[in-house]
């Protein structure tokens, strides 16, 4: 029989526990099984390792010599496994995100800066679900948005990096909508329109209801995902909140809302010390997406946003 790491681990467990019964319980095996294993190890080494006494087991002089060599080997093996896992995780980046026009540019920058890193992407409408995945170790980072007035449920231990403290939400409408000719649209201009909202997006429906109530409006609301909403918006059947980085599109008008009543906070969530460097890649990608959409670019200039500053 060749000696294996599990055999050394069993010997150390017996020595530390002081009895076969206690060692077997710690190792999760039966006492007869551990006794049989010890006999095989002693036969393989051609020497008695433990004295069996009524009160337990204690190493023989030969056993102390073997244990003295076994413990450093086990420590080295544990260090090898820990380092290997760390290296494996270092070459892998698991990204989560809610939908964003900044995603392609973000991934492009990460791949360029970390060419040997394997990346994966999970896109989910639920920011809370993505945060739970980061906390559970299923994702390394998550780019999420928090609807103003509807705080996310952030699990303990996550680090949050703020990309935009208050990103305004614009409104999308048909190109021939009466309000599309205006640079900025008021909620009252859209009071007679059907509003489309995705109730599965954390906080979005609650945020929209608060804004309507504050403006004294009660427009008709349709609940659907935004893929379905696009065709209804283009045909003039509905209007919908949208990210300011959306577009531009020839078949749709995207305009800021007067007073910016709808807003979100953009966050990058990571576990402590994990891949925080990708924040700068995200910031650059978001800036790129923002500046290529004329309405949002004009809004950023008007508000003298720090986002316009080149990193």
């Amino acid at each position: 029989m060749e000696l294996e790491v599990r055999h050394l681990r069993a010997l150390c467990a017996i020595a530390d526990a002081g009895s076969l019964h206690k060692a077997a319980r710690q190792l999760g095996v039966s006492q007869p099984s551990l006794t049989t294993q010890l006999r095989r190890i002693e036969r393989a080494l051609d020497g008695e390792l433990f004295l069996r006494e009524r009160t337990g087991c204690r190493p023989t002089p030969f056993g102390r010599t073997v244990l003295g060599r076994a413990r450093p080997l086990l420590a080295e093996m544990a260090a090898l496994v820990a380092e290997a896992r760390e290296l494996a995780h270092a070459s892998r980046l698991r990204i989560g995100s809610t939908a964003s026009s900044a995603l392609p540019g973000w991934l492009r920058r990460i791949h360029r800066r970390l060419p040997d890193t394997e990346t994966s992407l999970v896109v989910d409408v639920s920011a809370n679900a993505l945060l739970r995945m980061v906390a559970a170790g299923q994702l390394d980072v998550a780019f999420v948005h928090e609807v103003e007035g509807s705080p996310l449920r952030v699990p303990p231990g996550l680090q949050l990096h703020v990309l935009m403290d208050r990103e305004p939400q614009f409104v999308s409408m048909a190109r021939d909508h009466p309000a599309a000719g205006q640079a900025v649209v008021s909620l009252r201009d859209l009071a007679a329109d059907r509003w489309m909202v995705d109730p599965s997006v954390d906080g979005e429906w609650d945020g929209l209801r608060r804004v309507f109530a504050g403006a004294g409006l009660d427009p008709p609301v349709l609940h659907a995902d935004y893929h379905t909403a696009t065709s209804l918006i283009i045909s003039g059947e509905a209007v919908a909140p949208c990210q300011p980085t959306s577009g531009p599109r020839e078949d749709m008008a995207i305009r800021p809302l007067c007073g910016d009543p709808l807003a979100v906070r953009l966050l990058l969530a990571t576990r402590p010390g994990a891949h925080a460097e990708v924040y700068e890649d995200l910031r650059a990608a978001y800036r790129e997406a923002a500046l290529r959409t004329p309405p949002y670019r004009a809004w950023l200039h008007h508000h003298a946003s720090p986002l316009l500053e080149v990193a």
Side-chain angles (χ1 to χ4, degrees):
M1 182 188 80
E2 291 189 1
L3 213 57
E4 301 174 12
V5 172
R6 62 188 178 93
H7 298 140
L8 301 182
R9 192 173 289 115
L11 294 180
C12 291
I14 296 168
D16 292 340
S19 79
L20 285 165
H21 175 71
K22 291 179 182 178
R25 190 167 54 192
Q26 291 174 5
L27 293 170
V29 299
S30 67
Q31 181 175 334
S33 173
L34 183 59
T35 300
T36 300
Q37 187 178 59
L38 176 58
R39 287 174 181 154
R40 287 174 180 168
I41 295 170
E42 288 178 327
R43 283 199 299 270
L45 296 177
D46 198 22
E48 189 177 32
L49 296 169
F50 291 94
L51 294 174
R52 284 73 156 177
E53 300 174 337
R54 188 176 58 183
T55 56
C57 292
R58 61 184 176 88
T60 63
F62 175 57
R64 285 196 293 272
T65 300
V66 172
L67 288 166
R69 299 291 297 274
R71 292 189 191 278
L73 289 173
L74 288 175
E76 285 294 321
M77 180 61 69
L80 171 63
V81 171
E83 290 173 13
R85 286 175 175 168
E86 186 176 341
L87 286 171
H89 291 163
S91 62
R92 180 181 63 181
L93 181 59
R94 299 163 300 174
I95 301 168
S97 180
T98 48
S100 172
S101 300
L103 268 179
W106 188 26
L107 292 175
R108 185 177 70 249
R109 284 170 171 81
I110 289 173
H111 293 156
R112 189 167 57 206
R113 188 171 55 80
L114 303 170
D116 297 325
T117 297
E118 177 188 348
T119 59
S120 61
L121 175 65
V122 174
V123 178
D124 199 305
V125 296
S126 173
N128 283 313
L130 292 170
L131 293 179
R132 288 194 297 270
M133 291 179 72
V134 177
Q138 297 168 321
L139 293 174
D140 297 305
V141 300
F143 176 36
V144 299
H145 68 272
E146 179 181 66
V147 176
E148 194 168 65
S150 299
L152 294 173
R153 297 184 294 277
V154 181
L158 293 193
Q159 290 184 341
L160 298 180
H161 311 266
V162 180
L163 179 67
M164 283 283 287
D165 196 54
R166 194 173 194 271
E167 179 199 66
Q169 297 300 280
F170 288 4
V171 62
S172 54
M173 64 193 78
R175 176 60 67 180
D176 59 356
H177 192 286
Q182 305 173 37
V184 179
V185 179
S186 74
L187 284 173
R188 294 201 173 274
D189 294 330
L190 307 172
D193 287 282
R194 299 181 188 87
W195 282 74
M196 178 76 73
V197 66
D198 186 345
S200 62
V201 178
D202 293 330
E204 190 150 302
W205 172 220
D206 288 339
L208 194 59
R209 278 194 302 188
R210 279 192 296 270
V211 168
F212 287 154
L217 301 175
D218 188 22
V221 175
L222 305 176
H223 289 176
D225 64 88
Y226 285 118
H227 294 295
T228 304
T230 300
S231 59
L232 296 176
I233 293 168
I234 293 170
S235 66
E237 291 298 316
V239 299
C242 69
Q243 298 173 6
T245 52
S246 302
R249 295 179 55 132
E250 294 183 358
D251 54 2
M252 188 183 294
I254 296 172
R255 298 289 182 266
L257 285 167
C258 183
D260 305 317
L262 287 168
V264 302
R265 187 165 66 134
L266 301 180
L267 304 165
L268 179 69
T270 69
R271 285 176 289 121
H275 302 285
E277 70 278 3
V278 299
Y279 170 81
E280 292 303 328
D281 293 328
L282 176 58
R283 187 177 187 276
Y286 182 82
R287 181 180 186 275
E288 178 183 66
L291 295 184
R292 68 168 172 253
T293 54
Y296 193 27
R297 185 171 63 238
W299 186 96
L300 292 168
H301 279 288
H302 179 72
H303 291 80
S305 170
L307 191 69
L308 296 172
E309 300 171 6
V310 179

